[in-house]
């Protein structure tokens, strides 16, 4: 956890992104780490946890983080939380809380509310479109014999 915190502090000092760091550990060894790179890469998905997950999966050669632990300097935002569940680590530890982050301008409560809101009533206009045609990919997936399930 101290390394994740150190990354978050160093990131603020460097000006490369927000005050967030993450470390992924497997069997007591650091596999990958990441710091927030949203503003320096112009990538809204370049949160510390996402950066670390991408690096760890590449290094491990697998899309799951089996037997890994994630140490994050802050409780993950909705996007990172989703990615963490998809990556399936053994556990997650975090330092700062959602409330701590909100106090300094990183308030994700709006996104949490939007997730619970039916898509027809969300702030960004959303509409289902060409569903019948889009289902072709799902039918192909269902029939595929050699698919890699995840």
């Amino acid at each position: 956890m101290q390394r994740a915190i150190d990354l978050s502090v160093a990131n603020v000092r460097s000006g490369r992104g927000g005050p967030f760091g993450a470390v992924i550990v497997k069997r007591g060894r650091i596999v990958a780490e990441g710091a927030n790179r949203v503003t320096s890469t112009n990538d809204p998905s370049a949160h510390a946890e996402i950066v670390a997950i991408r690096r760890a999966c590449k290094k491990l050669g697998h899309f799951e983080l089996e037997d890994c632990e994630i140490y994050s300097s802050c409780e993950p935002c909705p996007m990172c939380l989703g990615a963490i569940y998809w990556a399936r680590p053994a556990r997650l530890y975090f330092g700062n809380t959602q409330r701590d982050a909100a106090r300094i301008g990183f308030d994700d409560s709006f996104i949490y509310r939007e997730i619970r809101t039916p898509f027809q009533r969300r702030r960004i206009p959303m509409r289902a479109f060409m569903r019948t045609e889009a289902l072709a990919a799902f039918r192909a997936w269902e029939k595929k014999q050699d698919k890699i399930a995840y």
Side-chain angles (χ1 to χ4, degrees):
M1 179 59 86
Q2 187 60 57
R3 180 65 183 146
I5 294 167
D6 291 346
L7 287 167
S8 68
V9 172
N11 210 47
V12 171
R13 291 185 178 140
S14 74
R16 288 186 296 252
F20 306 98
V23 176
I24 298 178
V25 174
K26 184 170 186 169
R27 297 185 185 111
R29 293 182 176 259
I30 293 177
V31 174
E33 52 187 41
N36 181 283
R37 296 284 186 262
V38 170
T39 58
S40 63
T41 62
N42 294 318
D43 179 354
S45 70
H47 289 200
E49 297 91 339
I50 301 294
V51 171
I53 288 168
R54 288 175 179 159
R55 289 176 177 167
C57 288
K58 184 174 184 177
K59 185 172 183 180
L60 295 171
H62 201 266
F63 55 85
E64 291 182 354
L65 297 175
E66 188 176 330
D67 299 323
C68 291
E69 298 174 327
I70 300 178
Y71 295 83
S72 178
S73 64
C74 187
E75 184 175 359
C77 74
M79 176 184 67
C80 293
L81 186 60
I84 288 165
Y85 272 97
W86 279 114
R88 295 176 177 89
R91 66 187 39 85
L92 164 73
Y93 300 96
F94 60 87
N96 294 310
T97 66
Q98 287 180 40
R99 287 189 179 124
D100 297 329
R103 276 194 283 275
I104 63 163
F106 295 94
D107 187 355
D108 297 321
S109 60
F110 166 73
I111 298 170
Y112 282 107
R113 284 192 307 276
E114 284 287 286
I115 290 169
R116 292 188 307 269
T117 301
F119 76 87
Q120 302 91 335
R121 295 193 342 240
R122 291 182 181 155
R123 173 106 30 109
I124 295 175
M126 298 182 185
R127 176 170 83 99
F129 185 64
M130 294 183 69
R131 179 173 175 262
T132 302
E133 294 83 354
L135 284 171
F138 284 9
R139 285 191 295 277
W141 176 259
E142 287 177 317
K143 293 175 185 173
K144 186 170 177 57
Q145 297 298 311
D146 61 344
K147 62 187 164 201
I148 299 172
Y150 61 98

